[in-house]
Amino acid sequence: QVFPFDVLVQLGTLLAVIVYFFKDLIHIIKAFLAGLQDQKVRTTLDFRLGLYIIIGTLPAGVIGFLLDDLVEAAFNSPPLTGIFLLVTAGILFIAELLGKRNRSISHMRWQDALIIGFGQALAIFPGISRSGATISTGLLRNLDRKTAASFSFLLSIPIFIAAGLLSALDLFEMSNLSEFLPILLV
């Protein structure tokens, strides 16, 4: 019950991110689709952001799929969650200490997206903050705070959608779904 509940709660965050970035998302989606046919569009920031979101999503998607059972078991281990909370603190501290924060979103590269995606992959474990890991990884890639935060939230959209859909499927396998459903609805 804990794992599907945690993932489904993230759907509220997903809705907030989509509402906040709605105009940006429309521009990114339009540019990405246009760029599939027009090479000139591929040089635009919006097209590149669409591509970077896909690249950054791959590590968490692949690792999450491969380690699904291990991740579910980790959610049932309070000591392991405590250790991962300390890992989050360490990531935040190191990023604050070492990040130069001198690159804007226009200077972002696909390698940044991939490495930030690995930061997001860490967050499949309980106690690792997804936004903390991705923003910190962005800062370690010397992105400025605004760029690291914006990309972190844009990057959350596909992973939250996928996790929400998979978790919704898991709900139907629960033996006590009728008892658990009112809690989820709240």
Side-chain angles (χ1 to χ4, degrees):
Q1 289 179 347
V2 173
F3 187 69
F5 178 77
D6 189 56
V7 172
L8 289 174
V9 166
Q10 297 301 323
L11 293 178
T13 303
L14 171 65
L15 180 61
V17 170
I18 289 173
V19 168
Y20 184 83
F21 286 102
F22 187 75
K23 289 180 185 176
D24 295 326
L25 287 170
I26 296 299
H27 291 296
I28 291 168
I29 292 167
K30 283 182 179 179
F32 187 78
L33 293 175
L36 295 176
Q37 297 178 352
D38 184 355
Q39 271 191 328
K40 292 177 188 173
V41 178
R42 293 180 195 163
T43 61
T44 66
L45 178 59
D46 287 333
F47 175 83
R48 287 185 293 132
L49 281 174
L51 184 62
Y52 296 165
I53 290 168
I54 293 169
I55 291 169
T57 300
L58 292 175
V62 171
I63 292 170
F65 179 76
L66 293 175
L67 300 179
D68 184 47
D69 293 336
L70 183 64
V71 171
E72 283 199 50
F75 269 81
N76 293 318
S77 172
L80 196 54
T81 301
I83 290 168
F84 284 134
L85 284 167
L86 292 173
V87 169
T88 294
I91 292 168
L92 295 170
F93 179 76
I94 290 168
E96 192 61 35
L97 194 65
L98 301 178
K100 291 184 177 76
R101 299 179 289 279
N102 58 5
R103 294 174 48 226
S104 68
I105 200 157
S106 61
H107 294 97
M108 200 171 158
R109 299 180 307 257
W110 70 267
Q111 296 94 331
D112 299 318
L114 184 63
I115 292 169
I116 293 168
F118 278 104
Q120 179 167 260
L122 285 175
I124 63 174
F125 292 101
I128 303 279
S129 164
R130 193 211 62 80
S131 60
T134 53
I135 292 170
S136 293
T137 307
L139 294 176
L140 287 169
R141 296 292 299 164
N142 298 320
L143 298 176
D144 62 50
R145 290 183 193 280
K146 182 178 184 216
T147 298
S150 293
F151 188 70
S152 169
F153 287 109
L154 289 170
L155 191 59
S156 73
I157 295 170
I159 217 70
F160 282 172
I161 290 172
L165 290 173
L166 289 173
S167 191
L169 294 174
D170 288 345
L171 283 177
F172 295 112
E173 295 177 8
M174 291 177 63
S175 59
N176 61 345
L177 178 61
S178 60
E179 296 169 20
F180 192 54
L181 198 56
I183 296 168
L184 287 178
L185 292 174
V186 171

